[in-house]
Amino acid sequence: MCAERVQRILTAIMLGIALMFLAQGAAGDALSFKIGVALQAFIIVMMLVWAFTNFCPSLWFFNKVFGPCDWGKEKSSDG
């Protein structure tokens, strides 16, 4: 695994959790709705920080833990 891939997976999981809370809120649970809105707002704010500053805290952390992805590098063979 590499940092960008882990960050995308984490974002998808967070969006799924927010959707779950929003669906429970739509079914009548007011606290779940508030939690879903708060999670969604957090994700939006973090995406805007990333867009305007080109800094993503989760990518910074995951780059230290997993290392960056090498999307464009060709695999060389010794032969």
Side-chain angles (χ1 to χ4, degrees):
M1 281 292 195
C2 58
E4 290 86 358
R5 185 168 290 164
V6 172
Q7 192 266 346
R8 291 174 187 167
I9 291 169
L10 178 66
T11 300
I13 290 169
M14 290 295 294
L15 287 170
I17 291 170
L19 180 63
M20 177 196 69
F21 278 113
L22 288 169
Q24 289 175 349
D29 186 5
L31 179 61
S32 290
F33 185 76
K34 290 176 185 177
I35 292 171
V37 169
L39 283 174
Q40 191 73 26
F42 173 75
I43 295 166
I44 290 169
V45 167
M46 293 308 291
M47 290 287 186
L48 288 173
V49 167
W50 189 14
F52 288 118
T53 66
N54 200 25
F55 173 72
C56 179
S58 63
L59 270 178
W60 172 81
F61 176 75
F62 291 142
N63 272 323
K64 295 203 177 292
V65 174
F66 298 105
C69 294
D70 55 353
W71 301 114
K73 297 181 182 175
E74 294 181 19
K75 296 188 180 199
S76 62
S77 61
D78 296 329

